[in-house]
Amino acid sequence: MTGPKLIPPVWKSVDVPCSPDQAFEVFTGHPTRWWPRDHRITAEREAVVFEPFVAGRWYERDSDGRERDWGRILEWEQGRRIRLSWLIDGDFAPIDDDNLASRVDIVFCPLRPGATLVSIGHVELHRHGRAAPAIRSVIEGPSPGDTLAGFARAVHEARLPRTK
């Protein structure tokens, strides 16, 4: 018996001018401000939400109040790391089986006083089965990518006080 075909992870990162705690707050507390509008499942997304605890959901809500899960919170380390399941299929449509979901790791690493490197890794892509290579080809590309570029803009717009 052979194991799943190895699909390399995709990592992207951005340097933001704030502490890891501040970056974490903008990332998890205000994702609707910066998440790309075209990265959605619903037709008219109104909000992106992270439930701030292990086993919570990350999801989008449409203008009619309907919610669609993007995945589950697998790890939640305030100011340091988040690990999520990513409940999508090869057509970027929602699925309901966490066993078929890849993982998304977000890491907040202090670079120097008042600066943080925020990295997003799409890992365990083999979980998507035959669709894994196609999914990887869509999400790979130059760093930081649309998601982190929008996040960096939101950090700058937040005008957070710099920490020493």
Side-chain angles (χ1 to χ4, degrees), residues 130-148:
R130 290 185 311 227
I135 290 171
R136 187 182 193 286
S137 72
V138 169
I139 61 176
E140 75 177 337
S143 190
D146 294 345
T147 303
L148 283 178

Side-chain angles (χ1 to χ4, degrees), residues 7-90:
I7 304 294
V10 174
W11 281 94
K12 296 182 180 183
S13 60
V14 66
D15 180 345
V16 292
C18 63
S19 72
D21 285 334
Q22 291 168 323
F24 193 95
E25 170 56 27
V26 172
F27 195 98
T28 62
H30 307 284
T32 305
R33 291 183 189 169
W34 56 267
W35 206 278
R37 295 294 305 163
D38 62 341
H39 295 197
R40 67 181 191 283
I41 297 173
T42 60
E44 294 293 327
R45 182 182 71 215
E46 182 176 278
V48 175
V49 179
F50 289 92
E51 294 180 337
F53 50 88
V54 172
R57 301 176 303 146
W58 65 302
Y59 63 94
E60 67 180 271
R61 184 175 47 246
D62 70 15
S63 56
D64 292 330
R66 290 181 298 243
E67 297 174 351
R68 186 62 200 171
D69 290 356
W70 289 354
R72 301 276 176 261
I73 310 295
L74 304 174
E75 293 179 38
W76 186 274
E77 296 179 49
Q78 189 72 34
R80 293 183 33 114
R81 174 186 169 108
I82 309 164
R83 182 163 236 224
L84 312 164
S85 64
W86 193 30
L87 292 167
I88 61 99
D89 68 11

